[in-house]
């Protein structure tokens, strides 16, 4: 006879959002809606807040908890009352078995190291962090960093996700990338999915994560085309070639990457959003209009009020990988973008051709890249 | 010993462009550049001109031949001197073994019937005609129409091809779709490819051709989103879902259709161009801004100076196919676009969701559609 303690009540999952910027606050809003409605999650969602003192003298975390609003990073949007801001990171993660990482990527290594030994043994993670360093040997995936330092499974969530548009519940989509465990992926989908934020999962963590970084390089190319006023036709061609290079590079670096990932929100849709709006596109447009005579640093300072461009440094890092591996000629768009950013070529080089050949599709991709 | 007549000199190919509108004239320009430079083509390119009397009293064909300019449909652009306008269609095609069809699609059946028995036995064709009728049983492919009536092989060429931008040699791409014979496809690529117009071939004539028609339905959806000022995020999601439905419907209708075709210029790039600029997008934007209270007929007359929208009729035809086959629920975007165009739903329905479900990704595509 089975003793009664074998009929365990499944424990409710507890979620903590590590980060409380613009996207982190929107993520907390999405999640908190679901934890209230779905029985398998504990209602309360902790949100770790990097504490700041507001001009009023109050702590940001206190104001969030009193007003249900992140007055600094997501003003005007009410967060569900079950979001609890917590300035103590160790306390915030202590009871959680689902950790959502959404901080600037350069802080992640430090945060992970600080959390070693401080999280539950059954914890799993997801990274919403777009952009990563690409080292000479290859990209330094944020999901791997989390997995390796904390010894836990880590999925990623990427997509065409302009935080402020999702905050006001405009229709949008996202993609969860997972490595092996489909059940965990489905749980993340359940946690994020709402009628206005449609999430689907693909078994391709690297493909999904690389999209979030490489798209910024393509957005620079799209910005050059806009600045040169080449029109929609040329811009679409550049975006398509960029998507092809994103796919080809991801597959060369990680043979498990799947073609269909690039049809998901993390691929083609995020690329479109980034190449239509987006900081990288905007600054590259200005760069081209100035004939490359004003540096990206200067334009960034002037146009972005302290926000940072990722495309320029990613383009440089990607160039180093391509050069190191002897792949420069296979990736004419990525290569040309860096050569323009670094001043070696004029912005017009992005669409230049001679009587005999186009610069961009210099070489057809070998069959195994298609 | 081999008799000397076995060492045949390969005959040079002779090209005729059937059509001389905006895109036809640009195609003749591209082709004539190549026939001059590539030895396997006869220099002269015939272009059939549907004769018109210009206000000056002269014939359009005479003016084209005197000035090397299609003053009516491509003013300001010099055509290579080896383009010869010919108002007599039978005479124009008589010596050609490569026929390029580029006329409005509603004229194609009549033109083909007129050419029966008038063309060379070794002739092959390519269609540059975007848009087709979609009958209840399925689409009426222009390439099949040409093949069936004339009994010859027919490829297609589609892509993000705004004629006026290519005319001034802005960088662009296109896709040739072929059925079986790769050598013929390569010859078409050779004929069209220039440094500023990069052409590649895929063995998927239906996939390539359907892209050119179905994109117009997605462009209407994108126009509604623009008119409702939903932002780039939502627009990118709608474009992605549209691309998914284009792919899924093409594959259901023709199981030979390949996923990768949708990564080519005919797929994602043409979709981008059409959803950024494009007549369908523009009129749908105005339709949504007017809350659906002014009809597409009225907007078309006011905004397009006699040009015609294809998206609205294609959306209706696609709806009939979906309804006939019981597939309406699998294609929520295509279905909703028609319901909006026909006044059954408000434009805002394109992005509507209830507390429990989104309208658009109503059903996840079954596995065989992915």
């Amino acid at each position: 006879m089975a003793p009664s303690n074998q009929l365990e009540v499944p424990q409710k999952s507890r979620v903590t959002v590590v980060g409380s910027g613009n996207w982190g606050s929107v993520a907390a809003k999405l999640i908190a809606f679901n934890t209230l409605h779905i029985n398998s999650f504990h209602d309360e969602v902790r949100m770790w807040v990097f504490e700041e003192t507001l001009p009023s003298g109050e702590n940001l975390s206190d104001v969030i908890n009193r007003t249900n609003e992140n007055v600094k990073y997501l003003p005007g949007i009410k967060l569900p009352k079950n979001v609890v801001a917590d300035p103590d990171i160790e306390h915030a993660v202590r009871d959680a078995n689902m950790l959502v990482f959404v901080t600037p990527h350069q802080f992640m290594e430090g945060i992970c190291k600080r959390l070693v030994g401080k999280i539950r043994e059954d914890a799993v993670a997801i990274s919403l962090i777009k952009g990563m360093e690409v080292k000479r040997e290859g990209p330094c995936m944020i999901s791997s960093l989390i997995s390796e330092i904390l010894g836990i499974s880590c999925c990623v969530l990427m997509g065409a996700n302009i935080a402020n548009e999702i905050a006001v519940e405009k229709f949008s989509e996202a993609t969860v990338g997972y490595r092996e465990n489909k059940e965990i992926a489905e749980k993340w989908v359940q946690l994020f999915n709402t009628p206005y934020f449609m999430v689907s999962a693909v078994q391709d963590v690297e493909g999904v994560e690389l999209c979030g970084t490489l798209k910024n390089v393509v957005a620079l190319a799209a910005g050059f085309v806009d600045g040169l006023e080449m029109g929609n036709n040329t811009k679409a061609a550049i975006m398509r070639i960029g998507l092809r290079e994103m796919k080809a590079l991801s597959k060369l670096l990680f043979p498990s990457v799947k073609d269909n990932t690039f049809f998901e929100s993390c691929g083609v849709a995020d690329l479109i959003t980034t190449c239509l709006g987006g900081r990288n596109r905007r600054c590259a447009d200005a760069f081209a209009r100035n004939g490359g005579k004003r540096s990206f640093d200067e334009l960034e300072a002037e146009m972005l009020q302290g926000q940072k461009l990722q495309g320029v440094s990613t383009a440089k890092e990607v160039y180093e990988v391509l050069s190191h591996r002897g792949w420069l000629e296979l990736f004419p768009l990525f290569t040309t973008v860096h050569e323009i950013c670094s001043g070696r070529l004029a912005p017009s080089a992005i669409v230049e051709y001679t009587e005999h050949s186009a610069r961009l599709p210099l070489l057809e991709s070998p069959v195994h890249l298609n």
Side-chain angles (χ1 to χ4, degrees), chain A:
Chain A
M1 287 207 309
S4 65
N5 64 2
Q6 285 201 350
L7 295 166
E8 281 178 52
V9 180
Q11 264 205 320
K12 291 192 176 200
S13 294
R14 277 186 172 268
V15 186
T16 290
V17 178
V18 179
S20 55
N22 186 237
W23 185 209
S25 303
V26 175
K29 184 188 170 197
L30 290 165
I31 292 167
F33 170 85
N34 282 322
T35 59
L36 269 189
H37 291 79
I38 305 173
N39 209 25
S40 55
F41 297 104
H42 196 285
D43 286 357
E44 186 183 288
V45 176
R46 293 255 146 193
M47 178 169 78
W48 172 59
V49 173
F50 180 82
E51 193 65 286
E52 301 180 47
T53 307
L54 297 176
S56 66
E58 279 179 294
N59 286 332
L60 176 58
S61 63
D62 293 333
V63 174
I64 294 174
N65 286 330
R66 181 167 55 77
T67 64
N68 301 306
E69 185 180 329
N70 187 336
V71 292
K72 179 137 189 199
Y73 297 105
L74 193 63
I77 303 292
K78 283 287 164 197
L79 299 174
K81 289 183 182 160
N82 50 323
V83 174
V84 176
D86 188 338
D88 178 343
I89 191 167
E90 292 177 22
H91 183 262
V93 301
R94 198 176 56 190
D95 296 324
N97 62 332
M98 297 183 82
L99 301 173
V100 178
F101 288 99
V102 49
T103 69
H105 73 100
Q106 61 272 28
F107 301 148
M108 271 313 296
E109 193 170 346
I111 287 173
C112 285
K113 285 183 173 164
R114 209 169 135 187
L115 294 182
V116 172
K118 308 287 167 55
I119 59 171
R120 278 170 57 167
E121 280 194 357
D122 62 343
V124 293
I126 195 165
S127 164
L128 274 55
I129 301 160
K130 285 183 185 174
M132 58 178 90
E133 252 183 284
V134 182
K135 298 191 174 159
R136 213 176 165 206
E137 312 74 61
C140 177
M141 317 294 280
I142 308 281
S143 61
S144 304
L145 185 86
I146 293 170
S147 279
E148 283 162 22
I149 301 183
L150 294 175
I152 59 179
S153 141
C154 188
C155 293
V156 295
L157 182 144
M158 305 276 145
N161 296 330
I162 299 172
N164 288 329
E165 296 187 4
I166 301 165
V168 294
E169 305 189 2
K170 289 186 176 173
F171 180 78
S172 179
E173 297 185 301
T175 313
V176 164
Y178 67 98
R179 199 174 296 282
E180 276 145 23
N181 193 324
K182 197 176 177 188
E183 270 172 47
I184 294 179
E186 279 166 358
K187 207 157 170 199
W188 286 118
V189 169
Q190 214 184 7
L191 187 66
F192 280 94
N193 194 66
T194 74
Y196 63 87
F197 189 71
M198 293 293 306
V199 184
S200 53
V202 297
Q203 188 176 6
D204 181 2
V205 68
E206 287 92 357
V208 173
E209 196 168 358
L210 278 167
C211 281
T213 296
L214 296 177
K215 61 159 196 176
N216 289 327
V217 182
V218 185
L220 292 172
F224 297 146
V225 171
D226 282 346
L228 297 165
E229 298 181 2
M230 298 292 292
N232 289 338
N233 207 11
T234 305
K235 187 169 174 182
I238 292 292
M239 288 166 68
R240 188 197 83 83
I241 293 169
L243 186 64
R244 188 182 72 180
E245 294 196 8
M246 286 167 60
K247 182 154 74 88
L249 181 57
S250 300
K251 289 175 78 167
L252 277 174
L253 293 171
F254 298 95
S256 62
V257 166
K258 294 176 180 148
D259 282 358
N260 274 336
T261 299
F262 299 84
F263 283 127
E264 297 294 331
S265 179
C266 62
V268 63
D270 195 13
L271 182 69
I272 291 171
T273 304
T274 309
C275 289
L276 295 191
R279 309 198 269 269
N280 289 288
R281 192 214 62 80
R282 206 144 40 90
C283 288
D285 179 319
F287 185 85
R289 283 181 202 278
N290 286 292
K293 293 196 183 69
R294 299 186 61 197
S295 74
F296 271 103
D297 282 344
E298 201 180 327
L299 294 165
E300 182 180 88
E302 182 178 301
M303 298 173 71
L304 299 183
Q305 289 92 36
Q307 287 187 304
K308 288 286 173 191
L309 278 186
Q310 278 184 335
V312 178
S313 56
T314 305
K316 179 170 185 288
E317 293 163 7
V318 165
Y319 186 92
E320 283 163 9
V321 172
L322 298 178
S323 165
H324 178 60
R325 303 233 187 175
W327 294 342
L328 283 175
E329 291 199 329
L330 287 176
F331 295 90
L333 186 133
F334 285 167
T335 300
T336 305
V337 167
H338 172 62
E339 286 172 340
I340 293 170
C341 292
S342 61
R344 261 179 284 159
L345 289 175
S348 59
I350 200 70
V351 284
E352 256 164 22
Y353 53 87
T354 66
E355 198 188 338
H356 300 293
S357 72
R359 176 187 299 278
L360 275 180
L362 193 61
L363 287 179
E364 259 315 292
S365 307
V367 173
H368 70 276
L369 295 185
N370 286 324

